[in-house]
């Protein structure tokens, strides 16, 4: 059964549900009806990601959502209420947007792989969530958009993740038009890895998670960090950096064990420390 990691009294089910099954941790957004990223939900997510970063048991994190909407992004009603603050809402806006940006960075910097499981609409910061995860699997009825331009608020922070995931012109198409794209287009744009029928979504995501969790946690940590770092470097610098990473990785215990197991035709025994 899913454990509650954050809650409000009016929502006894909790804003964020936590389900640990072996090496896979599933975090489910549970803020109906649109899974808006309220400050309370963002704080719960930040706390959970901070905790899992040092976990030796968790090897893969899945971010899913309850209901028919993956996430509608920032809670606009909550933000609007703070326009009545003495500063017009500036401090609260800064706090909420900065926290969301920090969570996207936490996802990228986690040593574990993070998979987004999408069934429904992912819009604005919800789309940013999808783009920030390492992998994304969605149903064939899922849709995506960055509609801020439609309400006079350009999706600047979602833009950061989107332009590092989608092709540049496709990212700009979404940002400038605010139009919704279907799952097939999202896959063409590079936002999602796989599209599956709704009834198979959890099964496919669990398979991804199981396969990744079977690998060396040491190699996954080294590789994920290297992937994001080299992606921002010029080609020559990226190769220089990757050469150093590969040499250090070759000297690591798990690489020695893995290569030895391959040559000896046996299953490797990874170092869990």
């Amino acid at each position: 059964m899913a454990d509650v990691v954050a809650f409000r009294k009016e929502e006894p089910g909790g804003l964020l549900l936590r389900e640990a099954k072996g090496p896979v941790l599933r975090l489910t957004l549970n803020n109906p009806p649109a899974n808006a990223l309220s400050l309370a939900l963002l704080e719960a997510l930040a706390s959970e990601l901070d905790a899992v970063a040092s976990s030796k048991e968790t090897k893969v994190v899945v971010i899913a959502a309850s209901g028919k909407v993956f996430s509608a992004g920032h809670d606009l009603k909550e933000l609007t209420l703070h326009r009545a603050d003495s500063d017009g809402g500036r401090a609260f806006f800064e706090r909420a947007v900065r926290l969301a940006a920090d969570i996207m960075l936490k996802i990228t910097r986690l040593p574990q792989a993070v998979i987004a499981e999408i069934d429904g609409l992912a819009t604005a910061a919800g789309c940013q969530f999808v783009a920030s995860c390492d992998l994304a699997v969605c149903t064939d009825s899922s849709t995506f958009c960055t509609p801020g331009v439609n309400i006079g608020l350009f999706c600047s922070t979602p833009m950061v993740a989107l332009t590092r995931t989608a092709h540049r012109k496709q990212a700009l198409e979404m940002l400038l038009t605010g139009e919704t794209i279907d799952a097939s287009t999202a896959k063409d744009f590079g936002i999602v890895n796989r599209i599956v029928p709704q009834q198979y979504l959890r099964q496919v995501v669990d398979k991804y998670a199981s396969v990744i969790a079977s690998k060396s946690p040491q190699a996954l940590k080294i590789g994920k960090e290297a992937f994001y770092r080299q992606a921002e470097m010029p080609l020559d610098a990226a190769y220089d950096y990757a050469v150093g990473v590969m040499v250090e990785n070759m000297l690591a215990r798990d690489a020695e064990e893995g290569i030895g197991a391959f040559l000896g035709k046996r299953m490797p025994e990874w170092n869990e420390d």
Side-chain angles (χ1 to χ4, degrees):
M1 180 178 292
D3 299 321
V4 175
V5 295
F7 62 92
R8 296 187 300 199
K9 289 183 179 178
E10 66 270 27
E11 291 170 359
L15 287 174
L16 184 65
L17 306 180
R18 182 185 191 278
E19 180 184 354
K21 186 176 181 180
V24 179
L25 173 65
R26 173 176 289 267
L27 300 176
T28 302
L29 309 181
N30 188 44
N31 189 20
N35 289 314
L37 300 176
S38 64
L39 188 65
L41 177 52
L42 289 171
E43 289 174 341
L45 277 163
S47 176
E48 189 63 33
L49 293 174
D50 283 340
V52 78
S54 59
S55 172
K56 294 180 180 179
E57 292 76 30
T58 301
K59 297 181 180 178
V60 179
V61 177
V62 175
I63 297 179
S66 59
K68 298 180 180 180
V69 178
F70 177 77
S71 176
H74 285 287
D75 190 331
L76 297 181
K77 291 182 179 179
E78 182 179 61
L79 293 173
T80 298
L81 285 174
H82 284 273
R83 290 191 182 278
D85 295 350
S86 60
D87 62 353
R90 176 182 291 274
F92 187 83
F93 299 164
E94 169 68 25
R95 183 181 175 191
V97 176
R98 170 57 60 187
L99 182 54
D102 288 345
I103 286 171
M104 307 306 161
L105 285 171
K106 289 178 191 293
I107 289 171
T108 301
R109 292 170 179 170
L110 275 183
Q112 298 92 345
V114 182
I115 305 172
E117 179 183 294
I118 310 102
D119 180 22
L121 174 65
T123 178
C127 188
Q128 180 184 6
F129 244 116
V130 176
S132 297
C133 291
D134 304 315
L135 300 175
V137 181
C138 73
T139 59
D140 46 18
S141 59
S142 294
T143 53
F144 305 82
C145 64
T146 49
V149 68
N150 296 334
I151 58 172
L153 180 65
F154 199 84
C155 284
S156 300
T157 45
M159 174 181 67
V160 175
L162 194 62
T163 55
R164 284 161 171 76
T165 303
H167 308 298
R168 180 169 294 188
K169 290 193 185 312
Q170 280 85 354
L172 267 173
E173 177 183 332
M174 293 180 67
L175 293 161
L176 293 173
T177 67
E179 293 182 349
T180 301
I181 62 172
D182 59 19
S184 179
T185 304
K187 187 173 186 296
D188 289 341
F189 282 12
I191 298 171
V192 300
N193 297 85
R194 188 75 62 89
I195 304 168
V196 299
Q198 185 181 46
Q199 63 266 34
Y200 299 123
L201 178 61
R202 173 95 186 230
Q203 180 180 338
V204 171
V205 171
D206 285 349
K207 178 64 182 299
Y208 262 111
S210 176
V211 169
I212 295 170
S214 71
K215 313 303 180 186
S216 158
Q218 186 178 49
L220 291 175
K221 178 180 179 180
I222 291 170
K224 178 175 172 177
E225 179 182 2
F227 175 85
Y228 287 108
R229 290 189 63 181
Q230 65 80 31
E232 302 302 319
M233 297 178 181
L235 185 62
D236 288 354
Y239 269 116
D240 286 343
Y241 166 70
V243 165
V245 171
M246 190 116 183
V247 170
E248 291 303 316
N249 195 171
M250 281 287 291
L251 293 169
R253 187 262 181 199
D254 271 7
E256 181 180 3
E257 165 63 14
I259 293 170
F262 175 77
L263 295 175
K265 298 184 185 310
R266 60 176 175 82
M267 294 296 295
E269 297 181 8
W270 304 126
N271 181 15
E272 301 296 334
D273 296 329

